[in-house]
Amino acid sequence: MATKVQAGNSIVETIKTIVYALLIAGVFRTLFFQPFWIPSGSMKETLLIGDFLFVNKMAYGYSYASCPSVKLARLGVDIDAEDICGFLDGDNTRLFGGTPERGDVAVFRHPVNNTDFIKRLVGLPGDKIQVKNGVLFINDKPVALKDAADFEEVMERQGPQGRFPRCQNDAPVGDGGVCKKTRQIETLPNGVEHTILNIGNQSTDHTGVYLVPDGHYFFMGDNRDNSTDSRVPQSAGGVGFVPYENLIGRADRIMFSSAGRSMLYFWTWRSDRFFKGIK
């Protein structure tokens, strides 16, 4: 009898341990750092498909978007941050709010479909933003650009979605075909330097003037011709202006990077991207 009681107590303690661990992990993820795996090439070459990083939630403080979403399609679990913290949504404020800086690479919730996006912040509240012939203008002044060597990658399927990269050249598929994109170094008004990539003349290379509203931000992908961002309004399927409360956190450092179909394929991890700082 004693053995059965001890076994029962052991099971209860194990369950308690698992529950406590999940609660601690949930609090940690909500308050401090959120894991994020890069699914697309919209931020190349700053971020590659398969980069795994932690988002610093303390950088901007906390809002409803800070609450975690739990989506397990195979188990039918779909709990959104709004389901947990929706009562905080709508006032566009933050608790212990920090001020985002131009040039930050940040994760935010799409204002309409609630998907998590990662882009570079280029427009602050009150800024006038426009893109002319592929050049970013901030408050009527073009950003500084310096040409760099072409960005090259193998023309092969990438990431879990298995998509081929978009190229400027007519790159052959297979047999080591090389996909090329024009690369430039862009310097924002506050001195933040980063590389941007271009494929060719696109509709988003020519925009109207956007006046960023108070309490909102304007984001763009570094892979300029392969990014859904604030250049396209929400009514047309884009991101549009992002409210302050939709910011989740700042991406500061890549922990590791997988070139394979899964981040668990450790033999495909890129040796040059461990603990790499994000600029």
Side-chain angles (χ1 to χ4, degrees):
M1 180 66 69
T3 302
K4 289 183 179 181
V5 171
Q6 290 175 351
N9 290 338
S10 177
I11 293 173
V12 170
E13 290 302 316
T14 299
I15 293 174
K16 285 183 178 180
T17 300
I18 294 173
V19 170
Y20 291 152
L22 291 174
L23 288 174
I24 292 171
V27 171
F28 185 86
R29 188 178 187 273
T30 299
L31 297 180
F32 303 111
F33 298 97
Q34 175 175 319
F36 194 86
W37 192 39
I38 303 302
S40 74
S42 69
M43 281 295 293
K44 288 179 182 177
E45 69 178 307
T46 304
L47 298 173
L48 302 180
I49 296 174
D51 283 351
F52 181 83
L53 50 88
F54 283 99
V55 179
N56 180 1
K57 290 190 170 185
M58 297 177 287
Y60 305 141
Y62 307 98
S63 71
Y64 87 96
S66 303
C67 285
S69 296
V70 182
K71 299 181 184 296
L72 302 171
R74 293 182 180 179
L75 301 178
V77 177
D78 186 3
I79 303 174
D80 189 76
E82 284 190 336
D83 299 329
I84 304 172
C85 298
F87 65 95
L88 298 174
D89 186 13
D91 59 1
N92 203 24
T93 60
R94 306 183 73 87
L95 182 64
F96 308 120
T99 303
E101 297 184 5
R102 197 189 312 276
D104 284 357
V105 176
V107 174
F108 59 89
R109 286 173 64 84
H110 189 287
V112 176
N113 63 30
N114 295 331
T115 304
D116 290 350
F117 276 51
I118 185 166
K119 306 288 180 184
R120 188 177 299 275
L121 193 160
V122 299
L124 302 173
D127 278 347
K128 187 189 296 182
I129 304 292
Q130 186 175 18
V131 180
K132 300 179 183 179
N133 298 318
V135 179
L136 172 63
F137 281 68
I138 301 177
N139 297 322
D140 299 319
K141 295 181 180 179
V143 297
L145 291 172
K146 182 170 62 176
D147 291 336
D150 287 349
F151 174 79
E152 298 183 354
E153 57 187 334
V154 178
M155 185 59 172
E156 61 184 7
R157 296 186 183 277
Q158 299 180 349
Q161 299 175 349
R163 295 179 179 176
F164 288 102
R166 295 182 61 201
C167 315
Q168 187 175 38
N169 63 319
D170 187 16
V173 177
D175 298 324
V178 177
C179 172
K180 296 183 179 182
K181 297 178 181 66
T182 299
R183 174 165 43 191
Q184 294 175 300
I185 299 174
E186 181 179 83
T187 303
L188 298 175
N190 61 346
V192 173
E193 288 188 351
H194 58 277
T195 58
I196 61 171
L197 305 181
N198 287 282
I199 299 170
N201 189 30
Q202 311 279 324
S203 61
T204 48
D205 290 330
H206 317 276
T207 74
V209 177
Y210 300 98
L211 181 60
V212 185
D214 185 42
H216 291 71
Y217 297 89
F218 195 98
F219 287 88
M220 293 176 64
D222 290 350
N223 192 0
R224 290 290 162 82
D225 295 333
N226 193 36
S227 174
T228 299
D229 50 41
S230 293
R231 289 172 291 177
V232 179
Q234 296 163 17
S235 59
V239 171
F241 303 121
V242 178
Y244 182 43
E245 67 179 353
N246 281 49
L247 303 182
I248 294 175
R250 187 181 64 217
D252 295 326
R253 188 169 298 276
I254 299 163
M255 304 308 294
F256 66 91
S257 181
S258 172
R261 300 294 297 271
S262 169
M263 65 179 178
L264 300 178
Y265 294 175
F266 62 88
W267 58 90
T268 68
W269 289 2
R270 301 175 174 106
S271 60
D272 61 340
R273 297 185 74 79
F274 285 102
F275 310 112
K276 181 180 176 65
I278 298 172
K279 297 180 181 180

